Amino acid sequence: MSIRVTSAGMAEQGIAVMQAQMQALSKVQTQLATGARFQRSGEDPVAAGQSLNIEKALADIGRWKSNIGSASDRLSLEETTLASSVATLDRVRQLALQANSDTLSDSDRASIAKEMKERLTELVAQANTRDGQGVYLFSGSRSDSRPFERTA
């Protein structure tokens, strides 16, 4: 069995090799231009699956970071509101001790009572504080309903 080598056959083989090299070069250029190792998941199914898992994990991390930021902001607002409430309650305590004195006149006690009513209104307002999304801070699971009402 003999193989016949012709110049036309050699040229065809050379062209086929050059076309294969051009396809490989085109694939590498596409990878460099897009930054992706493959264009279709069929080119590398295992890497495509891993890529999807990584994208999902990155999306989860992004949501977690956002949630952490929101929770941190909410806790900071709650802490500030509670500190204000403590200051208001301290003032109410001071007023109660002051009103306990026998040396005060009825008008002095009336002015203390007026300030105490103002402090009560202030406390109710602090207890009904809303965050940036309009959600009440201290209403528990019913975050859209007002938690405290001042009654007679």
Side-chain angles (χ1 to χ4, degrees), residues 49-98:
Q50 290 173 340
S51 174
L52 289 175
N53 288 339
I54 289 170
E55 287 174 6
K56 182 183 178 306
L58 288 173
D60 289 345
I61 289 170
R63 281 191 302 275
W64 292 336
K65 286 173 80 172
S66 174
N67 291 344
I68 287 169
S70 295
S72 178
D73 292 344
R74 185 176 170 99
L75 286 173
S76 178
L77 180 58
E78 288 172 355
E79 187 175 301
T80 302
T81 303
L82 288 173
S84 296
S85 298
V86 167
T88 303
L89 287 171
D90 281 345
R91 179 63 183 149
V92 168
R93 186 178 65 73
Q94 290 171 0
L95 289 170
L97 291 173
Q98 183 181 353

